[in-house]
Amino acid sequence: MTHDLTLPSGTPVAEGLAERALRDPHRPRFHFTSPGGWLNDPNGLSHWNGVYHLFYQYNPLAAAHHRIHWGHATSTDLVHWADEPVALVPGSDGPDRDGCWSGVLVDDGGVPTLVYSGRHEAHELPCVARGSADLRYWTKDQANPVITAPPEGVDITAFRDHCVWREGQVWRQLVGSGIRGVGGTAFLYESDDLRSWRYVGPLLTGDASQNQGELDWTGTMWECVDLFRLGEDEEAGSTDVLVFSAWDEGTTHHPLYWTGSYQGDTFTPTALHRLDYGGRYFYAPQSTRDEHGRRIMFGWLQEGRTDEANAQAGWCGVMSLPRVDTLDTDGSLHQAPAPELTVLRRERVEVAPGPLTDAYTPLHAVRGDQLDIETTLRLAPGATARLVVRETPDGAERTVVEVSRAHDGTNGTLRLHRENSSLDPTVDTEPRYGDLPLGTDGRVDLRVLVDHSALEIFANGRPLTARIYPTRPDEAVGVGIGADGDVTLERFDAWQMAPAFTDGPRPLWP
């Protein structure tokens, strides 16, 4: 659904992709990755009869965004995944001959049904496929595309990606789009049977003239819109959340979300929020409510190295760890890794609590490139604490997670320094940062998950996702901690993380 990358000239097509991917030291081991080739958006996320289903944008032929298929994986614990047969393959003709782009899975009276964007040249239109009872085999509807054109009389920037739900006796659908000269939007449709759709109108439209170049710019098109409600079982009432990824002329920017109220045919926003401080490194997210009542979300971790490096490595793209989204006390989303991930923890190391009196102290007992670190810090006004990961012995390569509290004590900042994460001048090392909510006690609950090139940080419920590529990966395993000002370490635990997959290359066509 996102930017079109062409196949680099001279790139091997399929031969050796999975084998090369397995050898790459930057390939994560407990995040989900495709067997090889290209991965982008999570699709069709669902919890069906006790099994989690993760579909995803997949190219099994090359590590490039080209002629996209739907990969498929299943899990009973959100941690260990089994590769299933490729769900959707572009047709030899028809509306999806150039790719089966992003979409969702719904339960149509017991029949699993996919709604996805079929791509043919410049056209991206909604299509439908029905699945077998085990969700392994899919048949495309002969009537595809089920919406034959975007709304008439509207000059759109793009038209793709779907959010579909049952509301009373009808189906409703949002299609991501943008109105040229105005801003991104989500077009609302309605149907009795998932095949004949009536256009209702824009659910909400952004203003692309506002905040251009800022970290909360809403873009000229909204990709991967996702509408859901949180708190419906709570006496305090509920909040509706509209997630989208800001896009502009082929460039993926960042995921954002509106909180507000969805009623009738409109969404009335109350506030706009950044979904992940890593920007494009947590992009095109999709969520589902599982059978335990939890809102589970995945996102796509884009690469930060060159297309040529991806082609040589034989793979591209990482799925985020599963997150549980809840309502925070300030009305925004509180995000945390799914608790099931703790099953991978091994070899716990504890660091003694106490004041952090030095600007930097190596933690020689904590080393690795597959780590789960949990720490609680107490920051006085004006103080800063730093956690260093993936550090080489000479310090030439190191990645720094920094939390700070303003001098007036009212708020804080979460910041990721990647300036020295890699000596490779071609990889992205720009810093990432965002606001950190703090109480009067200055407490920061920080969790950092390191998985080779994938880095996911959670501080007081705010996430920051990024990618790092040290040039000496076998040596870049050091960890350290330090502070400026009055900082107390109340707790520090670190675990080695076991891989989520067995050894050996996985079939590109399971």
Side-chain angles (χ1 to χ4, degrees), residues 62-87:
H65 189 255
H66 178 75
R67 210 162 183 270
I68 293 297
H69 302 51
W70 270 43
H72 183 198
T74 56
S75 174
T76 57
D77 63 1
L78 285 173
V79 178
H80 302 91
W81 295 90
D83 294 310
E84 302 289 353
V86 173

Side-chain angles (χ1 to χ4, degrees), residues 281-463:
Y281 289 113
F282 184 86
Y283 196 81
Q286 188 172 109
S287 71
T288 189
R289 181 170 174 155
D290 72 5
E291 294 172 4
H292 309 297
R294 302 180 301 176
R295 177 59 52 177
I296 304 294
M297 178 178 285
F298 284 83
W300 166 38
L301 278 60
Q302 298 189 37
E303 298 292 334
R305 56 183 177 181
T306 65
D307 296 344
E308 291 74 21
N310 297 329
Q312 184 175 359
W315 70 283
C316 181
V318 178
M319 201 63 67
S320 76
L321 297 172
R323 299 179 179 182
V324 179
D325 289 357
T326 56
L327 273 181
D328 212 335
T329 54
D330 64 358
S332 64
L333 289 183
H334 181 284
Q335 300 180 61
E340 288 91 333
L341 292 162
T342 59
V343 73
L344 296 177
R345 288 174 170 178
R346 306 287 189 273
E347 304 171 30
R348 174 175 175 262
V349 174
E350 182 180 6
V351 175
L356 295 179
T357 56
D358 297 325
Y360 183 65
T361 301
L363 300 177
H364 298 295
V366 185
R367 296 168 57 79
D369 51 19
Q370 290 177 212
L371 295 172
D372 186 356
I373 299 171
E374 285 192 0
T375 182
T376 298
L377 302 157
R378 194 82 64 172
L379 277 65
T384 297
R386 287 177 292 274
L387 174 65
V388 177
V389 296
R390 299 303 313 265
E391 183 175 32
T392 55
D394 60 2
E397 292 183 317
R398 62 203 306 256
T399 297
V400 182
V401 180
E402 181 181 282
V403 291
S404 59
R405 187 178 180 188
H407 286 280
D408 62 10
T410 57
N411 53 57
T413 302
L414 168 65
R415 188 178 297 270
L416 176 65
H417 292 279
R418 297 186 299 159
E419 301 92 324
N420 298 311
S421 292
S422 177
L423 296 176
D424 181 350
T426 68
V427 305
D428 175 37
T429 58
E430 289 186 2
R432 294 289 194 270
Y433 59 90
D435 294 335
L436 177 64
L438 289 175
T440 56
D441 60 356
R443 174 181 171 135
V444 178
D445 291 312
L446 180 66
R447 186 168 178 185
V448 178
L449 294 117
V450 179
D451 191 4
H452 297 265
S453 64
L455 184 63
E456 295 197 55
I457 303 161
F458 298 84
N460 289 355
R462 299 297 192 269

Side-chain angles (χ1 to χ4, degrees), residues 50-73:
V51 177
Y52 291 97
H53 290 263
L54 173 65
F55 299 85
Y56 57 93
Q57 297 281 272
Y58 179 42
N59 181 2
L61 303 177
H65 189 255
H66 178 75
R67 210 162 183 270
I68 293 297
H69 302 51
W70 270 43
H72 183 198

Side-chain angles (χ1 to χ4, degrees), residues 8 12 34 36 55 85 90 107 121 137 194 246 252 318 337 339 367 384-385 456 467 482 496 509:
S34 63
F55 299 85
D107 182 349
E121 297 179 347
Y137 304 103
L194 292 173
T252 57
V318 178
R367 296 168 57 79
T384 297
E456 295 197 55
R467 305 295 301 278
Q496 301 292 327
W509 295 89

